[in-house]
């Protein structure tokens, strides 16, 4: 059984006792990629140890990513800044996975969009706009996951985007998905609660994945772009924040002054939302995230 890291916790529980487990064994393989030393690589190792997976940790350098950008842009067929930034490490990881002889992986794409897991959802003005965000998924995260993997003949399957599951998830009143600190509802609250099993936890108690492959990758791309400034003139596009969305810019005017497409553009929003609900030492207790660590 082969998975990109975000699909591991649920699948590990489901696999036990199945026909596949009897035939191939119950131990899963998990995959993660990042710049050496990035926090999410450490978090992935901790979760892999907890779940007992055969874990494959891949490293890349900023130069590796820059060298791959031309191929990445060709395969994913977009000039969107954030999508290229996130697709590049996934493209590099897919090549390594395919070289191991793997043909199919499972990934957790879509859970953040249908349950409100990204930082910018703190600013969604109403449940109608919150609900409509999923309509653009094919232009961004699904585009990345599909084409970054298929470039190497690797098939990524996405259970959270199964049509029957989406029908259930999207028929939930979006008001119940919105971040509401008065009701102690953080990002992706419904999904977290569904798998918040105190007796037999799906994940170890820890902070959520946050930095993706490492911010040095984003900073390295910026530095490279500054040295090749004329390329901007050939690239159509618009402002975006956090996770490939121009719509979220409309939700808070302050974001127009900080169009860093990484998650850092929204960190102030995130911290401010939790401040009034923090513990006595400023700590915040979160149910572990089920999101991917390759972004």
């Amino acid at each position: 059984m082969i998975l990109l890291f975000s699909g591991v916790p649920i699948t590990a529980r489901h696999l036990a006792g199945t026909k596949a487990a009897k035939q191939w064994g119950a131990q899963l393989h998990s995959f993660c990629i990042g710049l050496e030393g990035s926090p999410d690589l450490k978090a992935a190792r901790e979760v892999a140890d907890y779940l007992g997976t055969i874990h494959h940790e891949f490293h890349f350098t900023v130069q590796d990513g820059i060298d791959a950008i031309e191929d990445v842009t060709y395969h994913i067929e977009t000039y969107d800044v954030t999508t290229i930034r996130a697709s590049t490490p996934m493209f590099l990881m897919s090549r390594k996975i395919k070289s191991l002889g793997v043909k199919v992986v499972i990934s957790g794409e879509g859970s953040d969009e249908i349950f409100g897991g990204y930082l910018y959802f703190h600013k969604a003005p109403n449940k109608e706009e919150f609900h409509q965000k999923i309509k653009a998924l094919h232009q961004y995260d699904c585009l990345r996951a599909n084409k970054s993997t298929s470039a190497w003949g690797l098939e990524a399957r996405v259970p959270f985007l199964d049509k029957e599951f989406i029908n259930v998830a999207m028929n939930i009143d979006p008001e119940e998905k919105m971040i509401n600190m008065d009701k102690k509802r953080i990002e992706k609250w419904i999904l977290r609660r569904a798998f918040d099993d105190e007796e037999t936890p799906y994940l170890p108690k820890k902070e959520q994945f946050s930095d993706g492959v490492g911010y040095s990758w984003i900073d390295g791309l910026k530095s490279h772009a500054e040295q090749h400034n004329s390329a901007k003139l050939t690239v159509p596009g618009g402002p975006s924040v956090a996770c490939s969305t121009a719509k979220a810019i409309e939700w808070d005017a302050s974001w127009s002054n900080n169009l860093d497409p990484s998650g850092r553009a929204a960190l102030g929003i995130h911290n401010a939302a939790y401040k009034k609900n923090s513990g006595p030492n400023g700590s915040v207790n979160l149910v572990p995230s089920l999101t991917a660590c390759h972004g």
Side-chain angles (χ1 to χ4, degrees):
M1 291 294 164
I2 312 296
L3 304 102
L4 296 182
F5 202 78
S6 52
V8 172
I10 299 171
T11 309
R13 185 75 57 89
H14 175 73
L15 180 62
T18 64
K19 182 179 178 180
K22 293 178 182 178
Q23 185 172 1
W24 302 104
Q27 194 170 19
L28 299 171
H29 289 252
S30 56
F31 298 90
C32 194
I33 190 168
L35 298 174
E36 192 164 1
S38 64
D40 280 0
L41 288 180
K42 179 177 180 292
R45 286 195 297 272
E46 291 174 358
V47 175
D49 289 342
Y50 178 82
L51 295 173
T53 69
I54 300 172
H55 189 55
H56 306 265
E57 178 179 301
F58 302 127
H59 299 160
F60 77 105
T61 66
V62 172
Q63 189 59 52
D64 290 335
I66 289 172
D67 291 342
I69 284 179
E70 184 174 344
D71 288 335
V72 171
T73 305
Y74 171 82
H75 284 287
I76 64 174
E77 300 179 294
T78 182
Y79 288 114
D80 178 73
V81 173
T82 313
T83 304
I84 293 172
R85 182 266 299 172
S87 294
T88 301
M90 195 169 190
F91 176 85
L92 295 172
M93 179 170 65
S94 297
R95 180 177 64 183
K96 291 178 179 292
I97 293 174
K98 188 57 185 291
S99 72
L100 296 175
V102 176
K103 296 181 179 180
V104 180
V105 294
I106 298 175
S107 187
E109 312 297 336
S111 62
D112 284 295
E113 287 78 11
I114 62 180
F115 291 112
Y118 288 122
L119 299 180
Y120 60 73
F121 281 107
H122 276 269
K123 288 294 183 176
N126 52 60
K127 68 179 185 179
E128 287 77 19
E129 290 205 29
F130 185 103
H131 190 74
Q132 292 295 319
K133 282 296 296 144
I134 194 173
K135 286 189 172 181
L137 190 55
H138 67 285
Q139 295 176 307
Y140 302 110
D141 279 15
C142 279
L143 177 70
R144 165 184 54 76
N146 180 34
K147 296 193 173 183
S148 294
T149 53
S150 62
W152 298 103
L154 182 67
E155 179 186 347
R157 298 183 181 177
V158 285
F160 282 112
L161 295 175
D162 175 83
K163 289 182 179 179
E164 292 185 11
F165 183 79
I166 288 180
N167 284 338
V168 173
M170 299 308 287
N171 275 306
I172 297 172
D173 185 349
E175 185 75 35
E176 300 299 318
K177 301 180 188 178
M178 293 184 71
I179 297 158
N180 186 325
M181 298 313 298
D182 292 332
K183 295 182 179 181
K184 297 183 178 180
R185 292 180 184 169
I186 61 175
E187 304 95 339
K188 211 159 47 176
W189 177 80
I190 289 179
L191 187 61
R192 295 174 191 271
R193 287 292 297 162
F195 294 97
D196 185 12
D197 188 335
E198 289 292 334
E199 293 186 4
T200 55
Y202 279 81
L203 291 168
K205 294 294 182 182
K206 66 173 189 63
E207 285 289 339
Q208 65 191 46
F209 290 118
S210 59
D211 289 339
V213 299
Y215 280 136
S216 296
W217 167 229
I218 298 167
D219 294 333
L221 276 178
K222 285 183 176 181
S223 176
H224 179 72
E226 287 170 0
Q227 298 174 36
H228 301 82
N229 196 44
S230 61
K232 286 190 199 177
L233 302 177
T234 69
V235 180
S240 65
V241 62
C243 189
S244 311
T245 174
K247 184 65 178 178
I249 298 296
E250 301 174 12
W251 293 353
D252 192 297
S254 65
W255 285 345
S256 63
N257 298 320
N258 182 15
L259 296 180
D260 180 346
S262 74
R264 286 177 292 186
L267 285 179
I269 306 291
H270 185 256
N271 293 336
Y274 285 135
K275 188 174 181 180
K276 65 179 180 180
N277 292 284
S278 61
N281 298 317
S283 61
V284 176
N285 296 320
L286 298 180
V287 177
S289 172
L290 297 178
T291 55
C293 58
H294 52 67

